Amino acid sequence: MSKDRTEEFLSTFKKTADFVKELLQENEKLRYQVASLQEEIKSYKEKGVGIDAHAQCIAKIAELEAEKSEILKKIREVEAENKNFAEKYIEVEQENNNLANLYIASYQLHSTLNFKEVVQIIMEIIINLIGAEIFVLFLLDEKTNELSPIATEGIELDQVTNVKLGKGIIGQSAKSGENYFSDIIPMFDSFNQDNPIACIPLKIKEHTIGVIAIYKLLVQKSTFSELDYELFTLLAGHAATALFSAKLYTESERKLSTIQGFIELLTK
Amino acid sequence: MAKIEILVVEDSPTMRQLIVFALKRLKDVNVTEASDGVDGLKKLSNHKFDLMIADINMPIMDGLKLVSLVRQDPKYNDMPIIIVTTEGAEEDRKRGLALGANAYLTKPVQTTQLLSTVKELLKLQ
């Protein structure tokens, strides 16, 4: 009985000893881990990481947000600038096209000294570049002070009569040398010579030599454009000089052939 | 690279010069001019064109007759045709397109409009 108790005691003692041994080992392990963690914390603190890292991240985010809004602002500015450039490009393109039209009109007007051809070119410019359907080209006869129609479009020449200088819209425009434009372009009903929608005096300096009177625009055209006004300015000067030079040249040619004929007659 | 060949059939020298001036702004384009429909047909029979621009009101042969004759020629079945005219009424537009024109522009024509139509029909950038 005593032997049994002794064995039991020894067994319990052994188990307790093992348990204590295990506890000590565990304790050693934990001590080691605590030491490692303390070392690690110490190292992070030295590097500046730790509680400050969160604050640093927040600061960095704020900095990036500010940078982002600055970039977005710059993108918006660039986009606005881009739009501005695109608009300017369209304007320049339009101006370029207008200049091309003016250059061609001017080039054509001075491309011949034949009076009929100059008249034809003026008519072409008014039809094709301005877009007029009914119009009359008058020339001033300085002897009678009357404007005589020399070419018409959309109406027969014999339907147009001479206009006295200073009389009516056309006569006034020729006398004053000022362009006339009707405030509104009315629906065309029938041809009324005294009621043009535009009158352009053809002038060499301040001297009027004729008038273009426009009565109706083409169906697809409802009003005059900026380019039309520039073409009118061009026509006022260049068409006048072209007509005047061609007229002088034609007259001189005629006189020359008369003189030549006369000389031939005398020398025979 | 072969040049794009364009035929301009227009009786008005001013208008013709304006169209040619505009077309020369395109890259690698060669423009041939004709002063009426018959002249246009002659030039079409002598040369292969990629596109034709024609007026309607012309002496000897008008633009509509020219378009209908061109469309009867198998050689020019697919050639794009642009009509540039003073005739702005809707029935004129319909007639021009029905005869085989691909585009119908009215005078006074804007250079930008003409060039964008040419580019579109020739599938240029």
Side-chain angles (χ1 to χ4, degrees):
Chain A
M1 181 75 182
S2 167
K3 193 182 176 183
D4 289 345
R5 283 186 63 121
T6 306
E7 277 177 3
E8 192 183 342
F9 173 77
L10 282 172
S11 166
T12 309
F13 181 81
K14 197 183 175 191
K15 277 180 187 172
T16 309
D18 288 345
F19 180 66
V20 168
K21 200 177 173 184
E22 270 176 36
L23 274 177
L24 284 169
Q25 278 174 352
E26 194 64 27
N27 185 283
E28 191 63 28
K29 268 186 199 172
L30 287 170
R31 275 170 183 274
Y32 177 76
Q33 279 182 0
V34 166
S36 299
L37 284 171
Q38 277 175 340
E39 198 62 36
E40 208 172 333
I41 287 167
K42 195 181 165 193
S43 143
Y44 281 137
K45 274 186 179 172
E46 276 169 7
K47 286 179 190 170
V49 182
I51 301 162
D52 291 345
H54 181 67
Q56 279 175 0
C57 282
I58 288 172
K60 190 74 185 169
I61 289 168
E63 192 186 316
L64 289 171
E65 284 286 341
E67 205 173 323
K68 182 188 158 191
S69 51
E70 185 65 25
I71 290 168
L72 285 173
K73 191 183 157 196
K74 277 189 181 161
I75 288 173
R76 277 193 293 271
E77 279 172 9
V78 169
E79 275 176 349
E81 206 174 341
N82 221 6
K83 197 181 163 198
N84 197 20
F85 278 134
E87 281 167 1
K88 275 190 182 162
Y89 176 78
I90 292 167
E91 268 177 43
V92 169
E93 182 79 7
Q94 188 60 45
E95 195 62 30
N96 194 16
N97 294 337
N98 290 354
L99 285 171
N101 282 15
L102 292 170
Y103 163 75
I104 287 160
S106 163
Y107 178 87
Q108 287 291 332
L109 279 170
H110 298 292
S111 64
T112 178
L113 279 171
N114 182 302
F115 186 75
K116 278 186 184 171
E117 283 178 14
V118 172
V119 170
Q120 186 55 39
I121 290 164
I122 294 171
M123 304 300 275
E124 276 182 19
I125 292 169
I126 302 171
I127 298 168
N128 294 307
L129 302 189
I130 292 170
E133 190 176 333
I134 300 176
F135 59 92
V136 179
L137 173 60
F138 291 94
L139 273 193
L140 181 66
D141 183 339
E142 290 190 338
K143 287 176 192 163
T144 59
N145 258 354
E146 277 190 354
L147 292 155
S148 313
I150 59 157
T152 56
E153 177 66 30
I155 190 163
E156 293 301 321
L157 189 63
D158 56 18
Q159 284 182 263
V160 187
T161 55
N162 286 4
V163 176
K164 278 271 179 203
L165 193 68
K167 196 185 166 199
I169 294 170
I170 299 168
Q172 275 295 329
S173 179
K175 194 176 179 183
S176 66
E178 298 286 332
N179 289 352
Y180 164 82
F181 295 103
S182 171
D183 292 334
I184 48 157
I185 296 178
M187 286 287 286
F188 186 81
D189 187 20
S190 59
F191 176 70
N192 177 0
Q193 190 182 318
D194 300 326
N195 200 17
I197 56 170
C199 273
I200 316 300
L202 306 177
K203 298 187 294 182
I204 297 172
K205 288 196 173 171
E206 294 311 309
H207 184 70
T208 301
I209 67 146
V211 170
I212 296 165
I214 298 173
Y215 294 91
K216 190 186 176 204
L217 297 176
L218 290 169
V219 67
Q220 62 269 24
K221 183 154 175 150
S222 56
T223 184
F224 293 116
S225 66
E226 280 299 312
L227 174 64
D228 294 335
Y229 294 113
E230 297 204 28
L231 278 166
F232 287 139
T233 309
L234 178 126
L235 278 173
H238 287 252
T241 49
L243 275 172
F244 193 72
S245 329
K247 200 175 172 188
L248 284 180
Y249 183 77
T250 311
E251 279 173 8
S252 66
E253 283 277 286
R254 202 169 50 233
K255 279 179 187 168
L256 181 68
S257 70
T258 309
I259 291 165
Q260 275 175 341
F262 188 63
I263 291 167
E264 271 174 30
L265 202 72
L266 287 173
T267 53
K268 262 185 185 175
Chain B
M1 188 182 151
K3 284 196 168 190
I4 298 162
E5 297 288 339
I6 300 179
L7 176 65
V8 178
V9 191
E10 166 70 68
D11 62 320
S12 155
T14 310
M15 200 58 210
R16 216 164 51 225
Q17 196 185 5
L18 188 76
I19 294 172
V20 173
F21 199 84
L23 292 174
K24 294 232 166 129
R25 289 171 61 185
L26 297 173
K27 265 188 186 175
D28 298 317
V29 163
N30 194 34
V31 186
T32 304
E33 298 174 45
S35 56
D36 58 65
V38 172
D39 191 17
L41 274 182
K42 269 187 206 168
K43 281 172 178 157
L44 279 165
S45 63
N46 295 334
H47 201 82
K48 178 91 175 93
F49 290 96
D50 301 301
L51 183 135
M52 181 174 83
I53 297 172
D55 184 16
I56 288 185
N57 297 320
M58 290 186 288
I60 309 174
M61 183 195 286
D62 68 42
L64 293 176
K65 179 79 181 163
L66 172 68
V67 171
S68 71
L69 287 173
V70 167
R71 281 295 181 236
Q72 285 167 28
D73 185 344
K75 197 168 97 177
Y76 286 114
N77 262 348
D78 300 326
M79 179 184 69
I81 299 174
I82 302 172
I83 288 178
V84 178
T85 178
T86 52
E87 306 299 328
E90 194 49 36
E91 57 266 32
D92 295 315
R93 176 184 295 272
K94 281 180 184 166
R95 195 167 43 167
L97 295 173
L99 282 170
N102 300 77
Y104 192 97
L105 305 179
T106 51
K107 293 177 187 173
V109 70
Q110 295 288 314
T111 309
T112 42
Q113 187 191 15
L114 177 69
L115 287 180
S116 65
T117 309
V118 169
K119 282 181 187 172
E120 192 187 322
L121 291 173
L122 290 174
K123 296 180 175 62
L124 301 175
Q125 277 189 335

